[in-house]
Amino acid sequence: MSGPFDFYRSTAEVDAFECSAPVGPWTDDELRADIHPGDPGQLKKYWLSGKGLAKWATKPHPWTALYHHILKHVGNPEKAKRIASQWYHDHFGHWPGERKGKNPIGKG
């Protein structure tokens, strides 16, 4: 009787498996391929300048407005939150929830 981890492959199966594995000098960033084609820098450039910036930065709740715009392009809510927070910080110089930089420890 064999245990759950006792299995054997023929030499041909092992050779086929090992040959199909990708081999190369890739970096971690290259292995994390974006499934959405296009230049991500273009999206950031649009939302942090000109017409894109005007769509969210002047709103009463700019982070929320930016988040909803980005969500349409990204599709993943968690990723959209991270992007919106970073771009909000890039533009305003403080993190969302810091109350315009006057509350350094966050919400009080």
Side-chain angles (χ1 to χ4, degrees):
M1 183 168 168
S2 64
F5 300 107
D6 294 336
F7 63 93
Y8 298 96
R9 290 188 176 154
S10 70
T11 305
E13 289 175 320
V14 171
D15 289 343
F17 176 76
E18 290 175 355
C19 290
S20 64
V23 179
W26 297 297
T27 64
D28 286 342
D29 290 337
E30 291 170 328
L31 292 174
R32 291 187 200 112
D34 190 359
I35 59 171
H36 303 290
D39 180 13
Q42 291 281 20
L43 193 61
K44 182 177 182 178
K45 187 176 182 179
Y46 175 78
W47 288 109
L48 290 181
S49 63
K51 291 180 181 178
L53 183 64
K55 290 181 180 182
W56 67 272
T58 58
K59 302 291 183 191
H61 301 282
W63 182 89
T64 304
L66 178 59
Y67 166 74
H68 287 292
H69 285 298
I70 292 172
L71 184 59
K72 295 174 195 174
H73 298 281
V74 175
N76 179 338
E78 291 303 313
K79 188 173 182 178
K81 287 176 186 177
R82 291 191 304 268
I83 292 170
S85 295
Q86 182 61 57
W87 292 357
Y88 178 99
H89 181 264
D90 291 347
H91 178 69
F92 290 111
H94 63 271
W95 292 103
E98 285 186 350
R99 299 183 185 172
K100 300 185 180 179
K102 296 177 183 174
N103 185 5
I105 58 170
K107 294 180 180 179

